[in-house]
Structures are given as structure tokens and as C-alpha cells.
């Protein structure tokens, strides 16, 4: 018997962070587990991946860790099964010609970002850690846009928060415009999971052997994608033919190491979760720093001896 599973990715289009799913499906490893996998991109008219699974419109989704913790604390029946990334991906990005040399130099300058509570909390923390005054930073609401080097050159802002060092920057950097980047997790000193894989009420009803089979095939797909970049780029170029193979290859090379910790794919690490949840609680984003343990689904890949339902 075949079990259909629908997976919603984290962004408006696939990018190499999801390569492992496509590799495993193309190789037939989901089919070997009795799974017929459909991969979708997020529909912004509905909401993010967590909204899709919360409403029963998909079985599984890839989503930011912070959103899971916030929504689960509200009482939504959402859970995590594995980690996709073992570190954060965001940056603060500026052109060298801006004269911004430290994050404290954002004082009096225009910083573009999506002003979510988490985004504002991160930027405040980064600026203050550098010795600056966050209240003197001029914030520019960029919505879901990620400003390019050309946008910065054209004066839309002096710097931008959010661009991924393994994707957005590679898409829009220009050789004649040197840039300066700060990786957010380096500056915070926390190796948090940028993205997790999990589900909601529908996935909670899937048999344990289906979830186990899905995770086994997915781990195999990500390992193969990392070890075989040339064939992975060839496959992914058919998934996103609107991006050049060079950009896909460079992105894959950058992102693949983030999929593993000590050579293992998918592990939700208690150290990463504890420190990130504590930071979120201290920033007023969640109330219970220990509540993340309750988001772990049975069968989740974790370093804890037992997972809470």
C-alpha cells in the first residue's frame, strides 16, 4: 500500500536547501518506503508552511524554528521531526562603500528588513552587542523582499538584514561592488537550527513506520546530494530552471555542510534548541524556554533519550 505525503517547502520557490528531498524522490527511495511524495512551494495567500500543516492542507513542511516555538506556545498542535540546518543562514549585508565597518555603525543609517518581532529583536541584539544604539537605527520596511546589491547601490537602504549567505547574496552580488556581511549566528554566538521539518494534526495520524521510512529516505537523499554535487546540480536545474547552474552549484556547496552535525543528518540538538529558546524568551518572543521539548514528535531525530509527544 502506498501512502501519499505532501511536503511544503519554506520559500516561494525551491532552492538548494531542499535538494535532498528531490534527490531521494528521483532515486526512488521514498517509493521504496511505500511513500508517494508531492513537493509544493508555500502559497503566501494561505500563509507559511506551518499554516499549511495546521490547516490540514499539507502533511509536512519545512519551517523556521522560531515560528514553531511561537505557534506551539499558542496551543497549535504542531511538531518537529528533524532539523534541516544545523546553523543560521541570515546576514546583515552592506556595500563596502557604505562606510559601515561594524554593526554599531548602523546608528543613524537605514537598515532594510521585514520588521517581525524576531527580526527586530535580532537586530537590536546585534547592534547593542556591538556597542551601538538600536533606537538610532532608521528602519526601512522591506516586507518579504531581500534587497540586492543593486538596491543598496540605488539608495533604498544602507544595509539589509535577512539575506542568506548561501542563496540571496549569491543571486544578486556584483563583482564590481564589494560587500561586507555579518552572519547572524556568528554574531549572536548561537548555532540555532535555521529550519526544521515537521507537521501538524494530519502528520500526527500517520503510522510510525511511515514517518520512520520518510525520515530514512530523506536522510539518504541529503547525504547523497552533499556527496554528489554534480548530479545534484543537474537534477536541481530541472527543478529551478530559472536559476543558472553556477548559482545552484555555489549555493549547494555553501549550504550542504549545514545539513549535518558530526556527520549525521537531521539531528535536533538540545544545546542548539535550549540556547535559541532561551534567547527567544529573554527577547520576549516566547514565555517558556523549555517548551520546545513538547514540540518533538514521537520518532523525531534528536539527541535526547526520549521525545515528548
Amino acid at each position: 500500500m502506498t501512502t501519499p505525503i505532501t511536503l511544503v517547502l519554506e520559500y516561494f520557490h525551491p532552492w538548494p536547501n531542499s535538494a535532498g528531498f528531490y534527490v531521494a524522490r528521483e532515486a526512488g527511495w521514498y517509493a521504496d518506503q511505500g511513500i508517494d511524495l508531492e513537493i509544493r512551494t508555500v502559497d503566501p495567500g494561505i500563509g507559511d508552511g506551518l499554516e499549511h500543516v495546521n490547516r490540514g492542507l499539507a502533511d509536512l513542511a519545512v519551517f523556521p524554528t522560531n515560528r514553531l516555538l511561537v505557534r506551539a506556545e499558542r496551543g497549535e498542535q504542531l511538531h518537529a521531526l528533524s532539523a534541516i540546518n544545523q546553523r543560521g543562514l541570515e546576514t546583515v549585508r552592506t556595500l563596502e562603500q557604505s562606510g559601515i565597518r561594524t554593526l554599531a555603525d548602523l546608528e543613524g543609517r537605514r537598515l532594510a528588513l521585514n520588521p517581525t518581532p524576531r527580526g527586530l529583536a535580532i537586530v537590536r541584539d546585534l547592534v547593542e552587542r556591538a556597542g551601538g544604539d538600536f533606537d538610532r537605527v532608521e528602519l526601512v520596511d522591506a516586507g518579504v523582499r531581500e534587497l540586492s546589491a543593486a538596491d543598496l547601490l540605488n539608495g533604498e537602504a544602507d544595509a539589509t538584514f535577512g539575506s542568506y549567505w548561501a542563496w540571496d547574496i549569491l543571486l544578486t552580488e556584483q563583482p564590481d561592488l564589494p560587500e561586507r556581511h555579518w552572519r547572524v549566528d556568528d554574531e549572536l554566538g548561537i548555532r540555532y537550527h535555521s529550519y526544521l521539518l515537521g507537521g501538524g494534526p494530519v502528520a500526527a495520524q500517520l503510522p510510525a513506520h511511515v514517518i520512520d521510512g520518510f525520515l530514512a529516505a530523506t536522510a539518504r537523499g541529503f547525504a547523497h546530494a552533499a556527496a554528489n554535487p554534480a548530479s545534484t546540480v543537474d537534477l536541481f536545474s530541472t527543478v529551478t530552471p530559472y536559476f543558472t547552474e553556477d548559482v545552484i552549484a555555489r549555493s549547494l556547496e555553501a549550504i550542504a555542510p549545514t545539513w549535518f552535525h558530526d556527520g549525521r543528518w537531521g539531528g535536533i540538538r538540545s544545546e542548539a534548541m535550549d540556547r535559541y529558546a532561551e534567547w527567544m524568551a529573554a527577547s520576549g518572543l516566547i514565555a517558556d524556554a523549555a517548551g520546545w521539548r513538547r514540540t518533538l514528535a514521537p520518532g523525531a531525530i534528536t539527541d535526547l533519550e526520549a521525545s515528548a509527544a
Side-chain angles (χ1 to χ4, degrees):
M1 181 178 177
T2 299
T3 301
I5 288 182
T6 301
L7 169 70
V8 174
L9 302 180
E10 71 273 29
Y11 199 50
F12 302 111
H13 58 73
W15 66 288
N17 198 35
S18 57
F21 299 114
Y22 289 95
V23 168
R25 187 175 67 175
E26 179 72 12
W29 296 328
Y30 291 118
D32 291 344
Q33 299 287 346
I35 294 169
D36 181 12
L37 179 65
E38 176 188 357
I39 304 174
R40 300 177 186 169
T41 52
V42 68
D43 180 347
I46 293 173
D48 63 6
L50 284 169
E51 183 63 18
H52 283 69
V53 297
N54 190 51
R55 291 170 55 178
L57 301 175
D59 301 299
L60 300 173
V62 177
F63 45 78
T65 300
N66 57 286
R67 294 187 190 178
L68 172 68
L69 301 191
V70 169
R71 295 182 66 145
E73 194 167 79
R74 294 175 187 163
E76 296 181 17
Q77 299 304 302
L78 302 167
H79 60 261
L81 286 165
S82 69
I84 299 296
N85 304 103
Q86 297 292 334
R87 66 170 301 180
L89 303 177
E90 297 143 312
T91 65
V92 174
R93 177 186 194 186
T94 191
L95 300 179
E96 283 284 357
Q97 67 186 47
S98 72
I100 297 171
R101 296 292 177 262
T102 73
L103 292 171
D105 294 337
L106 290 171
E107 282 189 20
R109 310 299 293 273
R110 291 166 302 143
L111 176 70
L113 78 164
N114 188 1
T116 63
R118 172 185 174 271
L120 293 171
I122 284 181
V123 172
R124 175 179 292 276
D125 200 336
L126 295 184
V127 171
E128 292 179 352
R129 283 171 184 259
D133 183 352
F134 171 77
D135 292 329
R136 293 184 57 198
V137 179
E138 182 179 343
L139 302 179
V140 177
D141 186 347
V144 297
R145 289 182 58 210
E146 299 294 348
L147 266 61
S148 67
D151 294 329
L152 295 176
L153 182 66
N154 292 336
E156 290 196 36
D158 299 304
T160 184
F161 161 78
S163 295
Y164 288 175
W165 46 264
W167 185 242
D168 305 294
I169 290 175
L170 303 181
L171 284 177
T172 65
E173 63 187 354
Q174 298 183 21
D176 58 341
L177 285 176
E179 299 187 31
R180 186 178 292 264
H181 313 130
W182 292 266
R183 295 189 180 189
V184 167
D185 63 352
D186 283 340
E187 300 302 318
L188 288 180
I190 303 171
R191 281 289 187 264
Y192 57 89
H193 300 301
S194 190
Y195 287 105
L196 299 173
L197 168 70
V202 176
Q205 301 305 312
L206 291 171
H209 76 271
V210 173
I211 293 296
D212 291 345
F214 181 87
L215 292 175
T218 302
R220 189 175 178 186
F222 276 89
H224 189 87
N228 298 274
S231 62
T232 300
V233 169
D234 287 344
L235 171 61
F236 213 75
S237 293
T238 68
V239 175
T240 56
Y242 29 89
F243 299 117
T244 67
E245 288 193 3
D246 175 66
V247 167
I248 293 172
R250 293 173 62 207
S251 176
L252 179 64
E253 181 181 16
I255 198 66
T258 75
W259 298 335
F260 309 97
H261 179 72
D262 290 339
R264 183 187 185 210
W265 177 85
I268 300 174
R269 294 180 292 111
S270 55
E271 178 185 12
M273 295 296 292
D274 279 336
R275 295 191 64 196
Y276 193 37
E278 288 164 2
W279 176 86
M280 289 181 65
S283 300
L285 303 175
I286 57 174
D288 181 9
W292 69 267
R293 287 172 169 77
R294 293 189 291 274
T295 70
L296 296 175
I301 304 173
T302 173
D303 62 0
L304 298 177
E305 292 185 3
S307 298

